[in-house]
Amino acid sequence: MNYNLALSDETLLGIEKPERYIGNEVNSVTKDKDAVDIRFAFCFPDVYEIGMSHLGIQILYGLFNSYEDVWCERVYSPWMDMDRLMRKDHIPLFALESQDPVKEFDFLGFTLQYEMCYTNILQVLDLSGIPFMSGERTWDDPVVIGGGPCTYNPEPIADFFDLFYIGEGETRYRQLFDMYKEARKEGISRQEFLHRCAKVPGMYVPSLYKVEYNEDWTVSSIEPVVDDIPKVIEKEMCTDLSSAFYPTKPVVPYIKVTQDRVVLEIMRGCIRGCRFCQAGQLYKPLREKDVEHLKELAIEALNNTGYEEISLSSLSSSDYSKLPELLDFLIESCKDKKVNISLPSLRIDAFSLDVMSKVQDVKKSSLTFAPEAGTQRMRDVINKGLTEEDILKGSHDAFLGGWNKVKLYFMLGLPTETDEDIYGIGDIANKVAKEYFETVPKENRNGRSIDIVASTSFFVPKPFTPFQWAPMNTKEEFLEKANKTRKGIMSQLNQKHIKYNWHEADASMMEGIFARGDRRLAPVILKAYEKGCIYDAWSEYFKFDVWMETFKECGVDPFFYTTRERSDDEIFPWDILNCGVTKKFLLREWHNALEGKPSTNCRKGCLGCGAAAYGVGVCLESKNND
Amino acid sequence: MIKLRLKFSKNGPIKFIGHLDVMRYFQKAIRRANIDIKYSEGFSPHQLLSFAQPLSVGATSDGEYLDMTVNSMTSTKDIMDSLNEVMNEGIKIEAVTELPEKEEKAMTLSYAAGYRIKFRQSLKPDFDWITELDNYLSRDKLPTMKKTKSGEKEINMKEMIFNYSLDRNKEEATFLLAMSSSATLKPALLFETFFKDLGKELAQGALDIHRLDIYRSGTDDNGLYIEPFIPASENERVYING
């Protein structure tokens, strides 16, 4: 136990949830700082409860700490009350385990999970006393490295990072650490060290690449400024997940966090080629983990944490080939200790309903369908292989099994969307309600009725998806569409059984700007931060007006990044990276989308996306092209 | 089915973990230690676990109690050892005792709590608080307003202070205060009222509160006494009103 906290008792008693800052959680790792060569501060730039729920940090935290010469610690964004206090009293930001200032560390790693955390990166740098701009840092500062999904277009924040790690973290960090040790021993410059890193696969050193722009603001070229580094950075991928490190002693927080359970990753990647989905492309090809290995991991992690719940994690759990075997095992072995099993992202069918009835309280739990769009035409455009028939059949079976709560998820603003697609959302919701009344006779309802929640989010085109060429709707268009959706639902016969939620459009617009942004956004982000923008992912702190005003002051047109239709041959800022699927494939899929042509999934047939080059996972399975 | 009462201490940074989170912490520790705890019936079963009294955030303690029901066990020592093996240093099981089948919950039986109170270094009063407190406590009546569910009511703190001692050298005060379902006096309220009486305000977080133990009541030939739930020795009885 570390009794030397960075904050005084008086300070901790004067703020919300002091548990966010005291470390010392079960399974947190403490080492002798004089006995390690590398100190790594791993930051999730959001509040503790969000950051502690993230699987990626737990994996890399465990992996790094398994190295004798490395001590990895955690850092989260101080909440607003603590932020104010740290600025007022000049308290430097510290890592949780040692409670030492972040500035003293060798590395400061950020995991970048969503675009709206960008100002929080600046907060962490600021409170740590580390210069914002990579070029202004010296060996007195940690090497600032970023990873995670947003690094697939890191350009808007490229100036703030020394280095990005593109791809899955399991593969290259050991090499990076050895290079760092060597560099410090040799006494070479920081810039020379980064130059060496740039030669390592997966490492993107933005300062070593120069971006040129056309007069119309599009990118004209991205070139390395030295000739011995790659022109395109290939993503790193873990080819054997079953033998890769997986944490069975994750840190167990004291306070309730968002993901308060053992998370068991059963596979990585997805066979479904939903055209709006970035994760589906980034993690290709699908790689399953060995089921016997998963059983061991599950038991070990439950024993080491004492959690009362285990959750299976993947992009589409129903596609895991040994799912029945794994679930049978878990149900049996979780019985004694009353451990709950949660099953997100399951397709609703006879099998999943059977499993759900065993592990959940049918009366309390709800069914989730994500049709994403209101008509079959629109679903063909986005290549979402879920039909109205699937939804109604799944609902029918579920209603017979006693369920009466249904959640439906949709997106608004998809490419080629018409009013018909929007009004289709109300139609589907109404049909589900109708299905309930036809399936469950009045005498069997026991005073209950059908309860449907339809939610829409606004579509944000993401890099490395077929929709990276697509124009995004304006805020006004979004709100008009939400309004139409609401009217569509209100006009339905069963409208009083349907509740409708929609997201805010302001935040979606910001997300859209950053998602396909370029390096000219860095001054905007910095200026907005200096004007007090922080915790943009939290609607109570998000200051849309300040952002818009800042764009104006910086002379940057935000709509250039969102509503513009991109030509087929446009050079994108993220073309400097290769995520494993080719641009040619994505373009083909974009054209298929515009023609309303769905594509098959990876198990039924190969679409030639390019990921087969890795020679692993689903790409090696024989295809069942029927 | 065996009923057990556990005594534990809470020290160090863990003092910032609130009561509900300490409960959650124990639920997980019990699973890690593979204790054959009994669960309630129903669709969402919970462990049969109950705590004597919450401890406020920031306070440390040498005498916290929780009751649990197990289906089976090897020995009370085994329960203690297996829990301590999976515990963070800051929370330690100090003793485990088996209870008679009909024993009521510690929550119901608790009668008083012992406290040692100091001031945190940076928020120490700028006056001789020991002398002032000594004077204050010697009054016949110590009225204050206590917040209740329905509003506020006046109570006499004097009746809720079973005994106290003040140590000028160590700059600390020790109290035995009522803590039962019918009457509870928290040290913070006592000090707030004392400060108010002097026309001063007690700064937030100024008190360094350490709970020494939690007591139940009983009577013997010498009259009404209180003693810790799990006494370390026989002579820990304190006679009150006698």
Side-chain angles (χ1 to χ4, degrees):
Chain A
M1 175 137 304
N2 184 358
Y3 286 85
N4 298 315
L5 300 185
L7 304 170
S8 69
D9 284 9
E10 292 85 333
T11 302
L12 285 163
L13 287 170
I15 51 161
E16 261 179 72
K17 300 197 186 175
E19 293 142 307
R20 287 167 175 160
Y21 311 104
I22 62 170
N24 286 299
E25 303 95 329
V26 169
N27 296 338
S28 60
V29 177
T30 301
K31 296 190 180 186
D32 174 0
K33 65 177 166 190
D34 298 322
V36 296
D37 298 317
I38 290 174
R39 299 189 65 189
F40 196 109
F42 208 141
C43 177
F44 191 114
D46 205 320
V47 74
Y48 179 90
E49 293 92 312
I50 302 289
M52 275 298 285
S53 305
H54 180 240
L55 175 63
I57 286 198
Q58 295 271 15
I59 294 176
L60 294 180
Y61 180 83
L63 176 68
F64 294 177
N65 280 321
S66 75
Y67 304 142
E68 214 168 293
D69 55 344
V70 180
W71 183 12
C72 178
E73 306 185 34
R74 293 159 300 138
V75 181
Y76 302 103
S77 289
W79 190 239
M80 294 301 267
D81 56 346
M82 193 67 224
D83 177 278
R84 276 190 291 271
L85 211 64
M86 293 178 97
R87 288 172 203 270
K88 185 172 93 42
D89 295 347
H90 306 286
I91 303 169
L93 185 63
F94 53 90
L96 291 182
E97 281 77 358
S98 64
Q99 301 268 314
D100 287 339
V102 170
K103 174 117 174 155
E104 293 173 11
F105 281 63
D106 298 291
F107 285 90
L108 169 57
F110 285 95
T111 179
L112 307 169
Q113 296 295 315
Y114 32 85
E115 292 83 0
M116 301 300 274
C117 75
Y118 289 170
T119 50
N120 279 46
I121 297 168
L122 298 181
Q123 175 210 26
V124 168
L125 292 172
D126 200 1
L127 293 176
S128 303
I130 299 168
F132 292 132
M133 305 307 247
S134 166
E136 290 168 18
R137 294 181 197 136
T138 68
W139 274 133
D140 288 339
D141 302 297
V143 173
V144 178
I145 182 169
C150 291
T151 58
Y152 283 93
N153 178 23
E155 294 304 278
I157 46 171
D159 290 351
F160 312 134
F161 281 82
D162 301 324
L163 183 62
F164 289 107
Y165 183 123
I166 311 299
E168 297 171 3
E170 282 97 343
T171 54
R172 290 287 171 189
Y173 271 109
R174 184 63 259 180
Q175 185 180 350
L176 203 61
F177 293 152
D178 289 334
M179 286 171 63
Y180 177 82
K181 280 164 71 170
E182 207 175 287
R184 298 313 303 267
K185 210 160 83 190
E186 286 176 33
I188 62 169
S189 73
R190 203 169 186 273
Q191 199 48 38
E192 180 49 31
F193 167 67
L194 293 175
H195 185 181
R196 284 186 192 176
C197 289
K199 297 175 197 169
V200 177
M203 299 306 132
Y204 172 41
V205 178
S207 59
L208 295 180
Y209 294 83
K210 178 131 184 64
V211 187
E212 303 283 354
Y213 301 95
N214 296 313
E215 245 170 58
D216 67 358
W217 263 67
T218 55
V219 172
S220 67
S221 70
I222 313 165
E223 292 291 334
V225 296
V226 285
D227 56 12
D228 58 350
I229 60 172
K231 280 192 171 339
V232 171
I233 293 97
E234 314 271 334
K235 82 160 175 192
E236 273 301 293
M237 203 201 55
C238 187
T239 50
D240 183 6
L241 281 179
S242 294
S243 67
F245 178 88
Y246 195 79
T248 52
K249 283 189 93 175
V251 180
V252 183
Y254 293 111
I255 45 175
K256 225 171 158 40
V257 298
T258 313
Q259 180 90 262
D260 208 22
R261 49 189 73 88
V262 168
V263 179
L264 188 66
E265 185 191 34
I266 58 175
M267 55 186 186
R268 214 172 273 178
C270 186
I271 59 168
R272 318 255 150 202
C274 300
R275 292 177 180 135
F276 54 84
C277 177
Q278 190 188 35
Q281 304 297 344
L282 299 186
Y283 299 103
K284 272 183 173 171
L286 173 117
R287 290 145 289 155
E288 296 195 355
K289 287 194 193 176
D290 174 55
V291 69
E292 295 304 324
H293 179 56
L294 288 177
K295 290 178 189 173
E296 281 166 31
L297 292 178
I299 296 301
E300 261 180 68
L302 286 169
N303 285 341
N304 288 334
T305 58
Y307 270 124
E308 43 276 330
E309 188 166 325
I310 182 165
S311 172
L312 303 186
S313 163
S314 78
L315 292 169
S316 169
S317 297
S318 295
D319 293 327
Y320 180 62
S321 58
K322 301 271 173 53
L323 190 65
E325 181 182 343
L326 180 63
L327 285 173
D328 281 346
F329 171 83
L330 288 178
I331 289 170
E332 197 48 45
S333 48
C334 288
K335 229 185 245 167
D336 287 351
K337 283 191 182 176
K338 315 285 179 204
V339 172
N340 298 317
I341 303 167
S342 76
L343 303 163
S345 72
L346 270 198
R347 207 168 35 246
I348 306 296
D349 56 20
F351 166 73
S352 62
L353 288 172
D354 179 51
V355 171
M356 282 159 65
S357 66
K358 285 180 192 153
V359 303
Q360 295 171 355
D361 187 346
V362 171
K363 283 197 196 96
K364 284 184 193 145
S365 63
S366 55
L367 301 171
T368 303
F369 293 99
E372 308 292 1
T375 60
Q376 192 56 47
R377 186 203 70 82
M378 191 76 256
R379 286 191 295 274
D380 286 344
V381 169
I382 63 176
N383 201 33
K384 180 84 193 184
L386 182 70
T387 62
E388 192 173 292
E389 203 189 335
D390 295 334
I391 296 166
L392 296 180
K393 173 80 173 66
S395 302
H396 174 81
D397 292 348
F399 297 150
L400 286 178
W403 275 274
N404 71 328
K405 294 186 181 70
V406 181
K407 286 185 195 158
L408 299 169
Y409 290 100
F410 300 93
M411 277 187 283
L412 291 173
L414 290 162
T416 76
E417 185 180 54
T418 64
D419 281 0
E420 198 187 335
D421 304 310
I422 296 168
Y423 291 120
I425 293 173
D427 288 339
I428 291 189
N430 189 59
K431 281 179 187 162
V432 172
K434 186 163 163 266
E435 188 69 37
Y436 177 82
F437 294 119
E438 286 171 7
T439 308
V440 187
K442 209 164 191 175
E443 58 272 24
N444 293 355
R445 291 180 202 155
N446 303 323
R448 304 190 311 152
S449 188
I450 179 74
D451 180 0
I452 297 171
V453 180
S455 306
T456 58
S457 60
F458 297 122
F459 170 63
V460 179
K462 292 283 166 105
F464 292 112
T465 66
F467 289 170
Q468 61 184 352
W469 286 274
M472 185 175 152
N473 281 171
T474 61
K475 180 183 158 182
E476 291 72 24
E477 285 166 329
F478 275 143
L479 293 176
E480 194 194 326
K481 287 179 178 184
N483 215 11
K484 280 182 185 167
T485 309
R486 191 177 53 80
K487 277 188 195 144
I489 287 173
M490 293 294 284
S491 70
Q492 299 293 335
L493 189 64
N494 297 306
Q495 52 97 355
K496 65 175 204 263
H497 298 279
I498 307 165
K499 190 173 176 262
Y500 174 52
N501 297 324
W502 68 93
H503 284 221
E504 285 154 83
D506 292 347
S508 301
M509 175 173 170
M510 287 302 303
E511 197 185 318
I513 297 166
F514 294 141
R516 293 187 291 174
D518 56 42
R519 293 191 182 186
R520 291 167 297 187
L521 292 176
V524 184
I525 297 171
L526 187 54
K527 194 156 191 187
Y529 170 75
E530 281 165 351
K531 287 174 158 191
C533 287
I534 185 177
Y535 277 108
D536 296 304
W538 295 71
S539 55
E540 65 265 49
Y541 293 116
F542 178 50
K543 300 182 180 113
F544 184 69
D545 297 345
V546 177
W547 275 104
M548 287 307 114
E549 177 192 293
T550 312
F551 276 107
K552 211 176 233 172
E553 287 165 14
C554 295
V556 174
D557 172 18
F559 297 102
F560 170 79
Y561 300 99
T562 53
T563 56
R564 182 171 62 89
E565 174 140 14
R566 282 136 169 98
S567 69
D568 286 0
D569 57 358
E570 178 170 334
I571 297 172
F572 296 133
W574 54 94
D575 282 349
I576 182 75
L577 309 176
N578 176 1
C579 89
V581 302
T582 62
K583 198 170 180 182
K584 214 172 109 197
F585 160 75
L586 293 173
L587 188 62
R588 196 161 70 228
E589 279 292 282
W590 170 231
H591 288 166
N592 283 339
L594 293 175
E595 289 164 30
K597 280 199 275 192
S599 294
T600 188
N601 74 54
C602 298
R603 279 223 163 96
K604 286 191 171 161
C606 179
L607 294 172
C609 72
Y614 296 105
V616 292
V618 70
C619 302
L620 299 179
E621 291 175 19
S622 58
K623 305 298 169 199
N624 172 25
N625 212 338
D626 50 16
Chain B
M1 200 175 93
I2 308 160
K3 276 189 180 177
L4 298 172
R5 181 159 294 153
L6 286 72
K7 178 179 186 174
F8 66 94
S9 53
K10 187 184 179 195
N11 287 297
I14 281 185
K15 69 185 174 204
F16 294 107
I17 313 296
H19 180 62
L20 287 176
D21 295 325
V22 169
M23 286 169 67
R24 287 164 18 87
Y25 171 82
F26 266 97
Q27 288 162 0
K28 293 190 178 77
I30 285 165
R31 282 201 174 85
R32 289 197 295 272
N34 273 314
I35 287 170
D36 185 15
I37 191 155
K38 197 171 158 53
Y39 285 85
S40 67
E41 305 292 327
F43 210 97
S44 13
H46 56 267
Q47 299 177 348
L48 294 183
L49 201 61
S50 94
F51 287 74
Q53 292 286 342
L55 184 68
S56 52
V57 173
T60 52
S61 176
D62 281 330
E64 296 300 295
Y65 292 90
L66 74 96
D67 294 347
M68 66 159 96
T69 308
V70 296
N71 297 310
S72 66
M73 64 170 188
T74 326
S75 64
T76 51
K77 186 178 180 307
D78 184 56
I79 294 273
M80 181 158 105
D81 293 347
S82 53
L83 269 174
N84 278 336
E85 209 166 292
V86 298
M87 288 277 194
N88 271 347
E89 233 176 283
I91 292 187
K92 188 170 170 252
I93 309 295
E94 304 287 349
V96 180
T97 173
E98 202 176 324
L99 302 174
E101 209 180 306
K102 294 221 166 115
E103 173 90 354
E104 285 190 80
K105 285 179 179 168
M107 199 191 300
T108 319
L109 295 173
S110 74
Y111 193 84
Y115 293 98
R116 189 190 63 220
I117 314 289
K118 292 195 227 186
F119 279 88
R120 295 194 205 279
Q121 203 57 41
S122 71
L123 295 170
K124 252 186 204 167
D126 52 5
F127 59 92
D128 178 6
W129 67 274
I130 295 271
T131 305
E132 294 288 352
L133 184 62
D134 204 8
N135 293 336
Y136 180 72
L137 293 172
S138 60
R139 293 185 198 168
D140 290 339
K141 229 181 144 210
L142 296 171
T144 191
M145 296 305 288
K146 189 181 171 177
K147 282 197 186 86
T148 63
K149 275 173 200 153
S150 51
E152 272 194 332
K153 68 167 185 182
E154 195 184 279
I155 56 163
N156 179 10
M157 296 190 293
K158 187 82 180 183
E159 293 164 1
M160 301 181 184
I161 304 171
F162 297 130
N163 72 29
Y164 66 90
S165 68
L166 306 173
D167 189 321
R168 189 170 296 281
N169 291 331
K170 288 188 186 161
E171 290 185 81
E172 64 179 40
T174 317
F175 291 92
L176 208 45
L177 304 177
M179 190 171 71
S180 71
S181 50
S182 57
T184 294
L185 176 58
K186 287 185 177 165
L189 181 63
L190 174 61
F191 274 78
E192 274 162 28
T193 316
F194 159 54
F195 266 57
K196 214 184 242 170
D197 190 73
L198 292 171
K200 294 176 188 295
E201 203 181 329
L202 182 66
Q204 187 186 19
L207 293 182
D208 180 353
I209 300 172
H210 180 72
R211 189 136 82 187
L212 297 160
D213 218 323
I214 299 177
Y215 299 75
R216 63 192 295 165
S217 64
T219 38
D220 63 11
D221 296 347
N222 298 321
L224 181 65
Y225 68 84
I226 58 170
E227 70 175 351
F229 272 118
I230 304 181
S233 64
E234 271 182 36
N235 51 21
E236 281 198 60
R237 288 187 180 178
V238 180
Y239 291 90
I240 53 178
N241 301 337

